[in-house]
């Protein structure tokens, strides 16, 4: 088959990182629900992440969030991951949950609070040194709620100063990815609200700074695939936080709300060489009402399906139609790929690797969910914000 080798090579290259926080309890501003079997520490979160890899073969790394995943010995945690067949991926900094950060972290008007926030970011690079992680993910909740509350330009200066210090601390094999988000928790002016702001800071910093696109962090209707195409073209796409949204930063399963959008994004990834390395495909999701490990497995499968369809686009035929100005022909080539049922292809792809064709069914049959529910009693469950 003409296309299967292209698709298989692309799928092999696609590695999807799962977030440690997806395995803990989570919820909304209104309620965090507790569930049986939820991990009580980072070691158990990694054990759960390893199950996602075991059944999908496509999720070999797990991202940490510091301090949610604080441990005494990060080398030991990395060894634990290795023993479970996975590795520690991106280190996510967290400068949004201390009382001190009410008016911001690295952009706070108080220099002492800025120093504290920067200290945390530098500590995160120390964690990377111990775990072997190559990616530091920076997301700042910084911003203001009211016009006039603080000086918008001064806050950019403070941000740049902190980013410079973090950048200078990175080792040769380490890089930072800067995440943007339109709003929340700041409601008037967010300090890194959009890809343009993140891009400008990263451009100034240098080659080890790139932009991370969290698919839930845009205004409704924004053309995310355009952003992806642009950043890839500039060599500034560092990675994705994949999830889906209906309204704001909903953090629902990737590909659940709008599989067509995920396909369009993955097409730009494929066309722009984003599967050839340098782009981290991370999930940033929470599972508030659905079981967590299967929620991650389903998300990985959704990303794989979108990628397979993107890889199926007949790019020769598409280019010919585009050159000829054949609007409907070009769109037809695109839609033919999207409308292909790639599930049999993915099932075969998994079987070739010695995996079960249906990871959801295989996980359910494994009994792991029942086992952790029975074993993990006592102790304090990990949860969002803990
Ligand atoms: C933010 C952002 C970050 C994530 C936190 C929990 O909205 O998406 O990536 O680490 O949430
Ligand atoms: Mn994110």
């Amino acid at each position: 088959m003409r296309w299967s080798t292209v698709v298989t090579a692309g799928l092999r290259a696609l590695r999807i990182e799962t977030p440690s926080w997806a395995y803990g309890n989570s919820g909304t501003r209104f309620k965090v629900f507790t569930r049986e079997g939820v991990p009580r520490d980072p070691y158990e979160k990694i054990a759960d992440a390893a199950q996602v890899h075991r059944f999908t073969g496509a999720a070999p790394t797990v991202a940490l969030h510091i301090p949610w995943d604080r441990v005494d010995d990060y080398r030991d945690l990395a060894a634990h991951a290795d023993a479970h067949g996975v590795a520690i991926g991106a280190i996510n900094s967290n400068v949004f949950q201390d009382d001190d950060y009410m008016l911001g972290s690295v952009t706070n008007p108080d220099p002492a609070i800025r120093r504290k926030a920067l200290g945390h970011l530098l500590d995160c690079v120390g964690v990377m040194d111990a775990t072997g992680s190559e990616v530091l993910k920076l997301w700042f909740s910084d911003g203001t709620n009211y016009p006039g509350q603080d000086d918008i330009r001064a806050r950019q200066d403070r941000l740049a100063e902190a980013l410079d210090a973090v950048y200078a601390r990175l080792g040769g094999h380490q890089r930072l990815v800067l995440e943007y988000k339109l709003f929340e928790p700041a409601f008037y002016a967010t300090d890194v609200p959009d890809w343009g702001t993140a891009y400008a800071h990263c451009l100034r910093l240098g080659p080890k700074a790139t932009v991370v696109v969290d698919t839930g962090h845009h205004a409704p209707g924004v053309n995310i695939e355009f952003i992806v195409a642009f950043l890839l073209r500039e060599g500034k796409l560092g990675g994705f936080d994949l999830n889906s949204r209906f309204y704001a930063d909903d953090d629902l399963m990737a590909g659940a709300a709008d599989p067509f959008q995920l396909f369009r994004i993955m097409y730009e990834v494929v066309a722009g060489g984003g599967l050839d390395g340098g782009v981290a495909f991370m999930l940033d999701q929470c599972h508030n009402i659905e079981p967590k490990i299967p929620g991650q497995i389903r998300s990985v499968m959704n990303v794989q399906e979108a990628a397979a369809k993107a890889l199926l686009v007949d790019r020769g035929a598409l280019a010919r139609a585009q050159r000829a100005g054949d609007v409907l022909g070009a769109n037809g080539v695109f839609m033919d790929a999207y409308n292909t049922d790639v599930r049999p292809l993915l099932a075969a792809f998994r079987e070739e690797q010695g995996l079960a064709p249906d990871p959801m069914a295989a996980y359910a049959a494994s009994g792991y969910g029942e086992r952790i529910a029975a074993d993990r009693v006592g102790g304090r469950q990990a949860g969002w914000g803990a």
Side-chain angles (χ1 to χ4, degrees):
M1 275 212 349
R2 186 171 158 229
W3 287 107
S4 63
T5 45
V6 179
V7 176
T8 308
L11 288 173
R12 278 220 178 85
L14 179 64
R15 296 269 173 252
I16 300 152
E17 180 162 309
T18 74
S20 70
W21 53 102
Y23 303 101
N25 283 326
S26 62
T28 65
R29 289 192 289 140
F30 302 102
K31 172 72 181 162
V32 171
F33 297 103
T34 58
R35 298 189 75 102
E36 282 187 319
V38 156
R40 292 156 302 175
D41 59 34
Y43 287 83
E44 291 180 348
K45 291 184 199 173
I46 286 175
D48 288 2
Q51 294 298 310
V52 178
H53 184 48
R54 178 177 159 208
F55 291 104
T56 62
T61 56
V62 52
L64 301 187
H65 218 296
I66 310 295
W68 298 342
D69 295 317
R70 183 169 277 157
V71 291
D72 293 336
D73 184 346
Y74 287 100
R75 280 177 212 286
D76 184 60
L77 191 64
H80 167 81
D82 189 53
H84 281 73
V86 290
I88 293 175
I91 301 300
N92 288 250
S93 58
N94 179 330
V95 282
F96 50 88
Q97 285 190 310
D98 286 4
D99 284 340
D100 279 341
Y101 299 141
M102 188 173 76
L103 300 181
S105 63
V106 294
T107 68
N108 197 297
D110 181 341
I113 294 174
R114 294 207 293 276
R115 270 195 301 279
K116 170 181 164 170
L118 176 59
H120 171 76
L121 303 183
L122 298 176
D123 286 349
C124 285
V125 185
V127 173
M128 294 166 74
D129 293 340
T131 56
S133 303
E134 292 179 358
V135 175
L136 173 67
K137 171 137 51 83
L138 303 174
W139 173 70
F140 299 106
S141 62
D142 297 42
T144 52
N145 272 9
Y146 294 100
Q149 179 190 322
D150 196 8
D151 186 317
I152 289 176
R153 290 179 57 129
R155 292 177 78 93
Q156 288 300 311
D157 293 342
R158 298 170 199 148
L159 172 65
E161 199 182 312
L163 291 174
D164 283 344
V166 177
Y167 193 85
R169 167 69 178 81
L170 293 174
H173 59 293
Q174 296 170 337
R175 62 193 178 99
L176 69 79
V177 292
L178 180 58
E179 181 171 356
Y180 58 90
K181 180 175 173 179
L182 176 63
F183 82 103
E184 194 199 25
F187 292 118
Y188 167 57
T190 296
D191 293 323
V192 190
D194 53 26
W195 70 269
T197 308
Y199 175 70
H201 280 285
C202 289
L203 200 59
R204 195 184 52 77
L205 286 167
K208 287 193 290 182
T210 48
V211 179
V212 61
V213 175
D214 184 314
T215 47
H217 288 189
H218 309 84
V222 165
N223 183 331
I224 299 174
E225 59 270 28
F226 172 83
I227 299 169
V228 170
F230 185 93
L231 290 174
L232 263 175
R233 183 173 175 276
E234 299 295 334
K236 280 293 186 191
L237 180 66
F240 287 95
D241 267 2
L242 297 165
N243 50 53
S244 49
R245 54 81 66 85
F246 288 102
Y247 300 102
D249 188 19
D250 302 350
D251 284 342
L252 299 174
M253 295 188 296
D258 188 348
F260 185 43
Q261 180 189 58
L262 186 57
F263 159 76
R264 298 189 315 258
I265 290 171
M266 292 311 291
Y267 174 74
E268 292 306 332
V269 166
V270 169
L275 288 180
D276 305 338
V279 178
F281 296 88
M282 302 171 279
L283 300 176
D284 179 11
Q285 306 177 170
C286 291
H287 304 289
N288 300 345
I289 61 167
E290 67 276 26
K292 296 162 198 306
I293 297 171
Q296 289 287 288
I297 293 175
R298 169 60 73 201
S299 305
V300 169
M301 293 170 70
N302 287 350
V303 177
Q304 286 184 306
E305 284 176 22
K309 291 177 184 210
L311 288 157
L312 274 173
V313 172
D314 184 340
R315 293 185 39 209
L318 183 64
R320 280 191 296 281
Q322 289 174 343
R323 273 198 303 273
D326 181 0
V327 175
L328 293 179
N331 180 242
V333 171
F334 218 66
M335 296 311 294
D336 276 348
Y338 177 66
N339 288 318
T340 306
D341 183 358
V342 293
R343 291 172 299 180
L345 188 153
L346 278 160
F349 172 70
R350 292 186 185 107
E351 281 180 316
E352 270 169 34
Q353 300 168 76
L355 296 167
D358 178 353
M360 293 293 284
Y363 172 77
S366 76
Y368 183 85
E370 291 77 12
R371 233 164 21 247
I372 54 175
D375 289 353
R376 293 178 184 168
V377 287
R380 185 157 169 262
Q381 292 188 320
W384 194 88

